[in-house]
Amino acid sequence: MNVYDSAKMADVLAPHGYGLADSVDDADLVILNTCHIREKAAEKLYSDLGRLRIIKTARQALGKDLRIAVAGCVAQAQGDEILSRAPYTDLVVGPQSYQNLPELLAQAEIAGTRPAAVDFPEVSKFDGLADATQSGPAAFLTIQEGCDRFCTFCVVPYTRGAEYSRPVSDVVAEARRLVDLGARELTLLGQNVNAYHGAGDDGGAVSLAGLVRVLAEVPGLDRLRYTTSHPQDMTDDLIAAHGDSPKLMPALHLPVQSGSDRILAAMNRRHRADDYFRTIDALRIARPGMAISSDFIVGFPGETDDEFQATLDLVDHVQFAGAYSFKYSPRPGTPAADLDQVPEAVKTARLDVLQTLLDGQRDSFNRRAVGHTNAVLLERSGRHPGQLIGRTPYNQAIYVDADPDQLGTVVDVKITATKPNSLAGEIVGFKPPTETVMATGGVR
Ligand code: 5AD
Ligand code: SF4
């Protein structure tokens, strides 16, 4: 979502004479877009600010300036602290206020103040955001923001605020615009995206499954994905959509966090491991071979060896195509931060065991794809001339030798080899635009 938000900030500032700079040396303004989800991400801000301060001071010695803005969830949570710990920061702006960036910059430049925009405004920020001006073949589109679930480890409900779903007509208009700009695949974004319930044209709420059906009709749009979902919001109609909406790609990121029922309850996840298994089974019946990925937290307060083992058992049972796993990081203001903490060395050891298991599952998922032919959307240039990077329906990055003109097209690729985080393949066929992309191969 921060990638999407950064692009939106560029779009908002474009009419005010700002363009993207290639490096800090060419920039008049630097916006650090920050993440507060774990402590490591938040701490990175202060080291980056320290580096920018040196450049700003050097510029000022020459009678020029470098404006420094801090955006994102750290700005939201620690606006005042940033302004006092890094007094050379010109402004801070939380995720709900990006539409006000031009005005905030004017305040900083003309009035000489250091504004902090960290309120949750009444009017949706989406109403004030500028239209996209460019898009790659695979684009992000935020359809939902904020979260009302209050998992006890998570800072999102405090930084992104209450759950909000954009109306269907807004989403469709943005999707059409992105397609006009060259997008063929959209990833629908939201902190809890499958809780989507945006207003339809008749005023009634439309579910994510309903939205997928509407977007599937947008001419030129071939592929849809969505992230990130909560297992408890995986409704029957959404599961069914994976079976009957061919444009919905057969890959789903469905974070489970833990395999222990006691830890899941302490996390306020409101489901048990068994419920997760049932959801996965239903998804795999609806769409055989679907790639399931997840997030995990190890060392949640009070997690015992047996409870960690329950996570390993869950992983063993599900067989994931990929995963992100993290050591629990106490976040200020969240309920779990006040509980007795697991020692750091225990967290490190558990993470190591879990990641080894998950890496093995990812590798075997990728290895099983070798020899199959998949429809691949060629998204961007590779490191070498003549190489393009695309994505299989199962969300695997794949390197192919291709003509640069083929960028943005869907081609049939025979998968020839696996690398740790990607595949390699050869183009064996070409798919004309808007043809329905049916997934093949990679079946578990
Ligand atoms: N500590 C560690 N990981 C966290 N996540 C969210 N909050 C924390 C935290 N306090 C992880 C979860 C979530 C992902 C986006 O980040 O696994 O799904
Ligand atoms: Fe955070 Fe996701 Fe839980 Fe919401 S559902 S509180 S975003 S972990």
Side-chain angles (χ1 to χ4, degrees), residues 37-38 153-154 255 257 295-297 326-329 331:
I37 198 89
R38 286 170 295 277
F153 55 80
C154 184
Q257 316 295 357
D295 292 341
F296 294 91
I297 296 176
F326 313 99
K327 291 190 254 188
Y328 170 72
S329 167
R331 308 310 296 129

Side-chain angles (χ1 to χ4, degrees), residues 297-300 303-305 308-309 311-312 325-328 342-358:
I297 296 176
V298 301
F300 182 83
E303 186 189 64
T304 63
D305 285 341
F308 172 62
Q309 183 59 45
T311 298
L312 299 178
S325 43
F326 313 99
K327 291 190 254 188
Y328 170 72
V342 170
E344 192 60 24
V346 174
K347 289 189 206 172
T348 305
R350 286 181 187 166
L351 188 65
D352 196 45
V353 172
L354 177 62
Q355 288 187 335
T356 304
L357 181 63
L358 288 166

Side-chain angles (χ1 to χ4, degrees), residues 147 149-151 153-154 156-157 191-192 230 257 269:
C147 186
R149 283 206 163 265
F150 290 92
C151 301
F153 55 80
C154 184
V156 163
Q191 270 85 29
N192 187 10
H230 191 291
Q257 316 295 357
R269 295 291 289 179

